[in-house]
Amino acid sequence: MGDDLETYRAIEDTYKEGKVRAIGLSNFNAPQVQEIIDNSSIKPAVDQIETHILWQQQRMHEYLTENNIVHESYAPLGEANPGFLDIPVLKEVGRKCQKTPAQVTLRYLIQCGIVVIPKTTNTKHMEENIDIFDFELNVEEMAKLRDLDAKKSIDDWPAGMQEQNY
Ligand SMILES: NC(=O)c1ccc[n+]([C@@H]2O[C@H](COP(=O)([O-])OP(=O)(O)OC[C@H]3O[C@@H](n4cnc5c(N)ncnc54)[C@H](OP(=O)(O)O)[C@@H]3O)[C@@H](O)[C@H]2O)c1
């Protein structure tokens, strides 16, 4: 902890020794990812960062895509914070597609080319969260959902990921 480059080099060693299949980052902003790329031999496969309908990380997405690094969303359901799954646009699109707001928001992220990692301890929710590959949001629905981006973190952590800091 506290020395990203040395830590990444140690992780690279595990990759070179065949102990892991892929290595990546979490909560790294663009300059931090770039520092790793510029000073290492194995490019990170993924950067897992807070990403959901209210904070879509569009700038980071562009940067990661350009660098062929997978953008993985944590807290894709906004940690089910009060009101998150009651956003009227999510409900409205869900009614049209016969899907729940959770399914709409996960599907949106996937159609944006973002890998999602929702968490649940509820079997019904798990089934629901997987059942998102039999429908597609159209251009108009995608635009409506894109408009919900408030660049707003759920808990303002980590500060380095706030867009004004990169
Ligand atoms: N890298 C990082 O710094 C970082 C930070 C935070 C989280 N994460 C990771 O990201 C993953 C997900 O993040 P998260 O748990 O913070 O947030 P999340 O997946 O956005 O939200 C989880 C919450 O959503 C509820 N939920 C799940 N499916 C639902 C559905 N279909 N309908 C209604 N509610 C639903 C869950 O409750 P039920 O259990 O009742 O379904 C739980 O309260 C986890 O694997 C976590 O380890 C990483």
Side-chain angles (χ1 to χ4, degrees):
M1 291 290 280
D3 187 339
D4 294 339
L5 275 179
E6 274 309 299
T7 306
Y8 193 78
R9 285 187 188 124
I11 296 170
E12 278 186 315
D13 289 344
T14 65
Y15 181 85
K16 287 173 190 162
E17 290 161 11
K19 290 179 178 166
V20 295
R21 280 183 291 179
I23 59 176
L25 305 169
S26 179
N27 292 317
F28 271 49
N29 65 28
Q32 291 167 332
V33 176
Q34 195 59 50
E35 191 191 8
I36 295 290
I37 292 174
D38 293 344
N39 293 285
S40 62
S41 55
I42 300 159
K43 197 190 259 191
V46 62
D47 191 17
Q48 182 187 114
I49 55 179
E50 181 183 333
T51 309
H52 42 75
I53 204 88
L54 297 182
W55 194 21
Q56 300 183 18
Q57 299 277 16
Q58 293 180 30
R59 280 179 60 194
M60 268 308 284
H61 185 75
E62 207 178 302
Y63 169 80
L64 292 172
T65 305
E66 275 167 12
N67 284 281
N68 206 22
I69 296 171
V70 172
H71 174 181
E72 182 175 79
S73 146
Y74 76 72
L77 300 169
E79 298 181 347
N81 270 2
F84 189 92
L85 294 174
D86 294 320
I87 295 170
V89 178
L90 289 182
K91 285 180 154 179
E92 179 200 320
V93 173
R95 267 194 301 274
K96 268 200 206 161
C97 301
Q98 295 186 309
K99 292 285 175 183
T100 65
Q103 290 173 313
V104 171
T105 194
L106 294 175
R107 178 74 204 183
Y108 171 76
L109 295 173
I110 284 177
Q111 281 187 225
C112 289
I114 299 168
V115 169
V116 293
I117 177 165
K119 191 199 88 177
T120 179
T121 51
N122 173 315
T123 309
K124 269 197 82 176
H125 285 165
M126 197 178 290
E127 286 167 359
E128 186 181 316
N129 296 344
I130 291 169
D131 183 25
I132 55 171
F133 298 101
D134 60 350
F135 78 113
E136 195 166 350
L137 301 168
N138 64 30
V139 175
E140 192 191 323
E141 290 159 348
M142 288 295 286
K144 270 189 186 175
L145 294 166
R146 199 173 181 82
D147 279 350
L148 294 177
D149 189 4
K151 299 183 168 56
K152 194 175 170 338
S153 169
I154 286 168
D155 51 16
D156 290 335
W157 179 91
M161 290 309 305
Q162 304 302 318
E163 283 201 16
Q164 67 271 19
N165 293 333
Y166 65 88

